[in-house]
Amino acid sequence: MTIEEIKREIRSTYPLWKATDSSFDGEKVAGIHEVYIQELISNYCESKDYQVQGFPFEKRELGKTKPEYDEDYFTWERYEMYTDYLCLEKEDVLEIKFFYSNTFWPDFISTKDDILQNINCNIKNNLYDEEF
């Protein structure tokens, strides 16, 4: 997928996400939409062969022989951390993540600097609760 195709998907997913309510089921549906967008971004990064500390390619290879790198290792949180770290070095990933964040949460993310500050804060305070 290209950046523009991902942006189109973000635009088309946003109204569905926005229409969810704050009930338990609504929160679950909203989460499904967020996971979908995160998967699009992660898949884009993988299609570009982007890695962070061996994630995901080397870790997937290790999973063939080391049980600690089985399918349970590849969590949504770890993929979010992967794309966040890539935002610090890859302008194309930053562009996509900014577009997503600014579309879904415009009151919190209005500039690329905002998202970079959030990522740096998350890294500094180890808010991912995961390691590569």
Side-chain angles (χ1 to χ4, degrees):
M1 266 189 147
T2 66
I3 292 174
E4 288 309 312
E5 289 170 327
I6 294 170
K7 286 181 176 181
R8 232 183 339 269
E9 286 298 311
I10 291 169
R11 278 188 214 99
S12 68
T13 301
Y14 175 72
L16 303 171
W17 176 85
K18 181 82 170 149
T20 60
D21 59 33
S22 60
S23 69
F24 180 74
D25 288 340
E27 292 289 328
K28 283 175 55 176
V29 171
I32 290 168
H33 293 304
E34 292 171 24
V35 167
Y36 170 65
I37 299 300
Q38 182 61 44
E39 285 179 1
L40 290 177
I41 298 168
S42 297
N43 290 343
Y44 169 84
C45 294
E46 288 188 50
S47 76
K48 297 290 188 181
D49 293 326
Y50 295 160
Q51 285 194 92
V52 176
Q53 298 175 29
F55 185 88
F57 304 109
E58 291 174 20
K59 304 297 184 188
R60 229 181 255 131
E61 201 56 36
L62 285 171
K64 295 177 182 177
T65 58
K66 296 186 178 200
E68 61 268 26
Y69 295 107
D70 65 5
E71 62 191 39
D72 292 337
Y73 171 82
F74 294 90
T75 62
W76 180 85
E77 292 84 3
R78 195 164 270 121
Y79 274 101
E80 182 176 34
M81 185 171 68
Y82 163 65
T83 58
D84 282 356
Y85 269 79
L86 287 172
C87 284
L88 301 176
E89 59 183 66
K90 305 289 185 185
E91 182 62 35
D92 54 341
V93 181
L94 177 59
E95 179 182 341
I96 297 168
K97 288 278 280 203
F98 169 70
F99 184 82
Y100 165 51
S101 298
N102 182 251
T103 300
F104 278 59
W105 303 281
D107 293 341
F108 298 102
I109 303 294
S110 60
T111 67
K112 287 182 181 178
D113 282 340
D114 289 340
I115 196 167
L116 289 172
Q117 285 178 348
N118 284 351
I119 290 168
N120 282 316
C121 179
N122 291 346
I123 291 169
K124 179 182 176 187
N125 296 302
N126 195 26
L127 297 182
Y128 296 100
D129 212 22
E130 299 279 355
E131 294 179 6
F132 289 114

